[in-house]
């Protein structure tokens, strides 16, 4: 896949005619733990502005990003075929990085017919799917169904139980990012919820060679309407060659970037991280610094969230705090109870379509 094709759904702004150095852009970030029925509203508001350097853009008052976080580790994500029609590049959830609390897994996936995920359950986490190319179709046991296409996002809170199917949304290769975010113990058994944003509805902002699509949280004055159970920042960042960015990240939050295309330099690293690289940031510092190299544009996903600091037991489609809770989830699914009642006698449209084809 060429760099141009990968970035085409969210292109960086055109290059200026002059060869002057790109100014550094600092973004204001507001991260909101959204209210839910029965919850007490929690809100964290973090404002930052750029360090005092010539050419900086001051985006707002408040704390300054003076100490960008260091890169703790860099992981190249090799393409691995996992069955006919399905391949994955895994950043989080692999042997070298089992998890990054509260992130359970981060994958770039590609799949095409006959691959697909037929009717299966989930409990205990939030499942985020962000399509880069093509689309995928879904149908769950509550009747929720549809297709998300290039640039669309689905934020699913599995909570106490969801059973659904996910299939390629068309012919050819469908490609996207899938992120699992653990739920805290108090939220494991909340009612499930789907939230979806079409590409044109995802808030976006642009400044000095840096374009940001705000999937969760807020940046450059653009705020996502998604209500996340765990406070989260999720940004799709595109940078023209030479552009620079400083993004505040609240102290104590886990943070990482996944380079979708091009190459970018993070922190004070000398080497650039190329496409399909997961960059994990250390806990020190008050933000993340990134710059695109002079020879290439860059596009990356920046995600951050506060760790729960709880025990995690993950087994297949279930992410719980103890082995006993995982076994309880399996038993509940088998017996269609405690959140899985609607699975009794249900099968997705995709199962019916596959049966008709045979």
């Amino acid at each position: 896949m060429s760099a141009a094709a990968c970035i085409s759904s969210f292109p960086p702004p055109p290059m200026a005619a002059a060869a002057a150095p790109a100014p550094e852009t600092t973004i204001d970030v507001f991260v909101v733990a959204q209210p839910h029925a029965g919850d007490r509203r929690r809100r964290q508001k973090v404002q930052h502005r750029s360090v005092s350097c010539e050419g900086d853009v001051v985006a707002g008052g408040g704390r300054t990003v003076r100490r960008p976080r260091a890169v703790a580790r860099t992981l190249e994500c090799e393409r691995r075929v996992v069955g006919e029609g399905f391949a994955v590049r895994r950043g989080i959830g692999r042997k070298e990085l089992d998890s990054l609390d509260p992130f359970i897994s981060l994958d770039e996936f590609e799949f095409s017919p006959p691959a697909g995920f037929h009717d299966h359950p989930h409990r205990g986490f939030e499942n985020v799917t962000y399509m880069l190319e093509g689309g995928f179709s879904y149908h769950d046991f509550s009747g929720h169904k549809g297709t998300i296409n290039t640039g669309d996002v689905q934020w699913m809170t599995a909570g106490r139980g969801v059973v659904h199917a996910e299939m390629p949304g068309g012919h050819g290769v469908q490609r996207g990012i899938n992120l699992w975010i653990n739920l805290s113990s108090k939220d494991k058994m909340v009612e499930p919820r789907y939230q979806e944003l079409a590409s044109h509805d995802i808030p976006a902002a642009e400044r000095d060679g840096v374009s940001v699509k705000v999937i969760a949280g807020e940046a450059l004055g653009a705020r996502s309407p998604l209500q996340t159970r765990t406070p989260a920042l999720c940004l799709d960042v595109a940078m023209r060659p030479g552009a620079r960015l400083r993004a505040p990240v609240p102290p104590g939050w886990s943070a990482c970037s996944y380079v979708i295309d091009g190459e970018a330099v993070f922190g004070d690293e000398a080497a650039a991280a190329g496409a399909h690289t997961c960059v994990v940031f250390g806990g020190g510092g008050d933000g993340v610094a990134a710059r695109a190299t002079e020879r290439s544009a860059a596009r990356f996903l920046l995600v951050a969230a506060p760790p729960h600091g709880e025990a995690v037991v993950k087994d297949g489609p279930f992410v719980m705090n103890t082995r006993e809770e995982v076994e309880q989830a399996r038993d509940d699914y088998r017996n269609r109870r405690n959140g899985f009642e609607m699975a009794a006698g249900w099968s997705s449209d995709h199962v019916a379509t596959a049966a008709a084809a045979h």
Side-chain angles (χ1 to χ4, degrees):
M1 179 68 61
S2 69
C6 289
I7 297 181
S8 61
S9 64
F10 181 36
M15 290 284 290
E24 184 170 71
T25 293
T26 293
I27 62 176
D28 287 336
V29 176
F30 297 79
V31 183
V32 180
Q34 298 287 359
H36 295 262
D39 285 354
R40 197 180 86 184
R41 184 177 179 119
R42 301 161 292 162
R43 178 182 175 103
Q44 294 186 44
K45 182 176 180 180
V46 183
Q47 287 185 296
H48 296 256
R49 64 178 179 178
S50 57
V51 294
S52 299
C53 300
E54 184 178 356
D56 278 352
V57 172
V58 178
R63 289 175 50 198
T64 298
V65 182
R66 297 185 182 279
R67 294 185 304 110
R69 294 189 181 200
V71 173
R73 62 193 311 180
T74 300
L75 301 168
E76 294 184 3
C77 305
E78 297 183 358
R79 184 177 182 274
R80 186 165 60 94
V81 176
V82 193
E84 185 180 2
F86 188 81
V88 66
R89 297 177 185 270
R90 176 150 293 174
I92 301 173
R94 54 196 277 179
K95 179 177 64 176
E96 299 89 344
L97 184 62
D98 181 63
S99 63
L100 182 66
D101 188 10
F103 303 114
I104 300 299
S105 67
L106 188 157
D107 293 335
E108 178 183 350
F109 66 88
E110 53 185 76
F111 70 151
S112 56
F117 300 97
H118 293 282
D119 304 0
H120 62 281
H122 288 301
R123 175 181 282 179
F125 65 97
E126 294 190 281
N127 180 29
V128 183
T129 304
Y130 183 48
M131 292 306 298
L132 302 176
E133 178 183 0
F136 85 88
S137 297
Y138 56 89
H139 183 197
D140 88 337
F141 66 175
S142 69
H144 187 76
K145 59 183 176 180
T147 299
I148 66 169
N149 296 298
T150 303
D152 300 346
V153 63
Q154 181 186 82
W155 198 289
M156 182 192 78
T157 303
R160 65 199 304 256
V162 161
V163 180
H164 67 173
E166 300 161 299
M167 305 296 288
H171 299 291
V173 175
Q174 325 295 304
R175 179 170 158 259
I177 301 289
N178 184 246
L179 178 68
W180 285 20
I181 306 176
N182 191 25
L183 287 169
S184 66
S185 56
K186 67 180 180 60
D187 286 334
K188 290 289 187 186
M189 298 296 284
V190 297
E191 290 298 320
R193 183 183 188 187
Y194 283 89
Q195 299 176 83
E196 284 144 17
L197 285 176
S199 178
H200 57 79
D201 290 328
I202 297 176
E206 178 183 318
R207 184 176 300 167
D208 296 313
V210 178
S211 299
V212 181
K213 294 184 74 172
V214 186
I215 298 168
E218 181 173 342
L220 288 176
R223 175 182 296 180
S224 171
L226 292 182
Q227 299 178 341
T228 66
R229 271 283 167 179
T230 298
L233 177 68
C234 185
L235 307 177
D236 181 351
V237 179
M239 306 174 73
R240 73 181 185 186
R244 301 190 300 164
L245 169 72
R246 285 180 182 244
V249 174
W253 283 33
S254 300
C256 70
S257 284
Y258 181 80
V259 182
I260 297 170
D261 196 60
E263 54 184 22
V265 178
F266 296 93
D268 57 2
E269 295 292 295
H276 318 303
T277 300
C278 183
V279 179
V280 180
F281 300 104
D286 53 7
V288 169
R291 64 177 174 85
T293 65
E294 296 295 335
R295 62 178 177 270
S296 175
R299 183 185 178 190
F300 59 88
L301 200 70
L302 172 62
V303 297
H308 296 308
E310 299 176 345
V312 177
V313 177
K314 52 183 178 179
D315 191 343
F318 306 118
V319 181
M320 304 302 290
N321 295 108
T322 66
R323 173 55 59 184
E324 290 74 19
E325 290 174 343
V326 168
E327 293 307 318
Q328 182 65 55
R330 291 191 182 282
D331 190 62
D332 288 344
Y333 174 59
R334 280 195 300 267
N335 291 287
R336 306 299 195 251
R337 64 189 181 195
N338 294 336
F340 294 111
E341 290 86 351
M342 287 186 292
W346 175 85
S347 63
S348 69
D349 290 348
H350 305 295
V351 169
T353 300
H358 290 84

